[in-house]
Amino acid sequence: MIYWDQEKECMPLEQLRELQLRRLKETVYRVYAFVPAYQKKMDEAGVKPDDIKTLDDLKKLPFTTKQDLRDNYPFGLFAVPMSEVVRIHSSSGTTGKPTVVGYTRKDIDIWAELMARALISAGATRHSVIQNAYGYGLFTGGLGVHYGAEKIGASVIPSSGGNTKRQIMLMQDFGTTILTCTPSYALFMYEVMKEMGIDPADLKLKAGIFGAEPWSENMRREIENNLKIDAYDIYGLSEIIGPGVAIECSYKNGLHIAEDHFIAEIIDPETGEVLEDGRQGELVITAITKEALPIIRYRTRDLTALDRTPCACGRTHVRMQKVLGRSDDMVIIRGVNVFPSMVESVLLNIPGVEPYYLLVVDRRGNLDELEVHVEVSEKIFSDEIRKLEELEDLIRRELESALGIGVKVRLVEPKSIERSEGKAKRVIDRRKI
Amino acid sequence: MAKQISVFLENKAGRLAHVTRVLGEAGINIRALSIADTSDFGILRLIVSDPDKAYEILKESGFTVSETEVIAVQVPDSPGGLAAVLEQMSEENLNIEYLYAFLGTSENNALVIFKVEDIEKARQAFTKRGIKFLDEKRLYQL
């Protein structure tokens, strides 16, 4: 099987555009009627649902941002009554309030459908044994992949993240053929396999579907060579639906965006102007089939470019390049979204600590590491090492509990962190993505 | 009692050179120093000829500086001299945070700089036991 739903995935473009337009119009009417926040934004922008006559009219609609989700926390952007909502997920709890997303039963079905397409695209079949090492819980990765894997009839091992030695034991004993997790975790598993004296070539592993953080072609080669598998990139974000928004096919020349459910645009992140195909910019997605949380022109902050040239796999859906970076200062570390502002709010809650800090992200071995540099002001300085180490430790613990990942804290001299006139440089990313 | 200048330093090449250069150019003489360090940073502790001026100048140069009260104790410059002082401090339950030696001597005694938990208690104990310590004016001029 090459496709999960050939009719949709290979739909002739003219037909696809008609379908998109019809679904877009429906969605715009629905949000205008049922979501006061959308109605308000559209009224302010002077656009009515009737103004959307062609796909090109999409650009008349205002953008939706993460802030809109926060402002309407938790359920303010839902377009259905809660009695229709069967599932609630939440972002990895970033700045302040997390962003909350909801699903109706139909939304869950569509999501499973998208993940089924993604898994098939990466070579899965009903005979596959899929070890799903994405975290299960509020994070969309675990359950998103899970439902898709069950839909295609594969055998799913819901191993969730962590406990790497056990993961590898399951891989050996259950004959895992497909691994799903973050790319950095896949490389970490390889390191542990080496320590355990296990040769990946002796495993039944054939492919991996990796996402939730940006990764490079170099990293793909490393994963493929080390684990002796095919590595596929998958893209998604909870605000849109979760994993499965876009997936690579066997040609690995971009990720096909499921265009029967989403409309993709690339904009200039500074001006908001829509850029032509091929230009690099920020990906903006409109979800045109979602019931609980339809989302109009969501600014993903992910930088990429769209390619509409035909793909040899036969799918007609547009391809996005592997994500190149972010248009904001968010960094993704081991699948967790980290904003400098989160670090700042933690630091400001520690008496005497001033908000001069820098996030340094690096990849040591195969795991991403976050080091937070904090300037030592006179208020927190002590002539005793022990007190400074206690302070370092306190900052580290506070950061770790707020961010949910391991952090190293380094105290630095005052003024050693670059001050800038405009936007302070808060992040140095040394990972070669 | 004496004032010690403490300076925060990152473990980076040239930082110590920078501090000492700044002091040298201001005509401040370093009388004693010690460095405590971790893998990332160090604390430079100094006894200088003019602590208040050193404090101002280092601050102006952008360093994180603090002034700390320490005691300069005269220790007999002979085998067992320091041990005798430390034993007496132990008997008095004086907690020592750290100590380091002073460059130079006073009345044929070695000088050791002590940072103690409770400086007033230390002063009283030393007086009671006849352990001599220098007042700051004399210390800076040595």
Side-chain angles (χ1 to χ4, degrees), chain A residues 376 378 383-384 413-414, chain B residues 10 15 45 55 64 98 115:
Chain A
V376 173
E378 243 173 74
D383 60 310
E384 290 172 44
E413 286 175 30
Chain B
E10 278 177 62
R15 298 312 293 154
R45 298 159 183 155
Y55 177 84
T64 300
Y98 52 80
K115 165 74 189 289

Side-chain angles (χ1 to χ4, degrees), chain A residues 26 52 79 91 95 115 129 257 279 287 302 322 386 426:
Chain A
E26 283 168 13
I52 308 303
S91 71
T95 22
M115 269 314 307
V129 178
I257 299 172
R279 297 266 309 272
D302 288 319
K322 277 177 96 59
R386 179 172 54 87
R426 292 296 188 205

Side-chain angles (χ1 to χ4, degrees), chain A residues 14-278:
Chain A
E14 204 178 316
Q15 209 182 322
L16 183 61
R17 299 293 165 241
E18 266 175 44
L19 179 69
Q20 283 186 318
L21 180 59
R22 180 162 55 77
R23 288 178 166 176
L24 172 65
K25 283 180 177 174
E26 283 168 13
T27 302
V28 173
Y29 276 107
R30 219 149 35 82
V31 295
Y32 192 81
F34 298 128
V35 187
Y38 273 112
Q39 189 184 75
K40 184 162 172 275
K41 280 185 91 160
M42 284 173 62
D43 285 345
E44 280 167 8
V47 52
K48 292 276 179 277
D50 280 336
D51 295 333
I52 308 303
K53 296 189 171 72
T54 66
L55 284 175
D56 200 43
D57 292 331
L58 176 62
K59 62 170 175 263
K60 294 177 180 166
L61 295 168
F63 294 116
T64 306
T65 63
K66 208 176 187 67
Q67 192 58 43
D68 290 313
L69 285 158
R70 280 195 208 112
D71 291 346
N72 292 283
Y73 177 87
F75 308 136
L77 292 183
F78 287 13
V80 296
M82 285 306 284
S83 56
E84 298 297 311
V85 172
V86 300
R87 175 98 64 81
I88 295 163
H89 278 286
S90 154
S91 71
S92 39
T94 51
T95 22
K97 293 283 188 193
T99 49
V100 178
V101 298
Y103 301 78
T104 64
R105 194 170 300 283
K106 190 178 156 219
D107 292 334
I108 294 284
D109 287 344
I110 288 174
W111 189 13
E113 166 84 21
L114 294 170
M115 269 314 307
R117 289 184 196 175
L119 289 162
I120 297 287
S121 179
T125 68
R126 59 195 306 263
H127 303 292
S128 299
V129 178
I130 299 176
Q131 185 162 335
N132 185 18
Y134 283 113
Y136 280 67
L138 281 174
F139 174 57
T140 50
L143 285 171
V145 171
H146 185 99
Y147 274 56
E150 283 191 350
K151 196 171 183 85
I152 67 171
S155 312
V156 194
I157 309 170
S159 60
S160 199
N163 204 341
T164 309
K165 284 187 176 157
R166 194 188 61 184
Q167 298 268 5
I168 293 163
M169 183 194 82
L170 295 176
M171 227 175 258
Q172 281 184 303
D173 297 351
F174 297 180
T176 301
T177 59
I178 291 179
L179 173 67
T180 55
C181 61
T182 61
S184 51
Y185 192 50
L187 280 176
F188 182 69
M189 280 187 184
Y190 169 69
E191 295 297 322
V192 177
M193 279 180 203
K194 270 202 305 193
E195 282 167 24
M196 292 167 73
I198 291 167
D199 182 353
D202 295 336
L203 298 172
K204 290 189 175 152
L205 212 54
K206 288 194 187 71
I209 299 170
F210 305 120
E213 63 188 22
W215 50 304
S216 62
E217 284 300 331
N218 282 340
M219 194 157 168
R220 189 207 305 273
R221 271 191 292 277
E222 211 179 323
I223 294 175
E224 293 191 333
N225 293 337
N226 289 348
L227 287 172
K228 312 281 185 270
I229 59 171
D230 264 322
Y232 295 90
D233 194 1
I234 186 166
Y235 178 78
L237 59 170
S238 61
E239 296 90 330
I240 300 303
I241 200 160
V245 173
I247 180 73
E248 282 182 327
C249 62
S250 55
Y251 293 88
K252 297 178 188 166
N253 58 355
L255 293 82
H256 291 280
I257 299 172
E259 281 194 285
D260 50 336
H261 297 284
F262 309 109
I263 300 176
E265 301 168 274
I266 295 290
I267 63 160
D268 178 327
E270 300 295 322
T271 64
E273 178 201 353
V274 178
L275 302 177
E276 65 225 66
D277 292 340

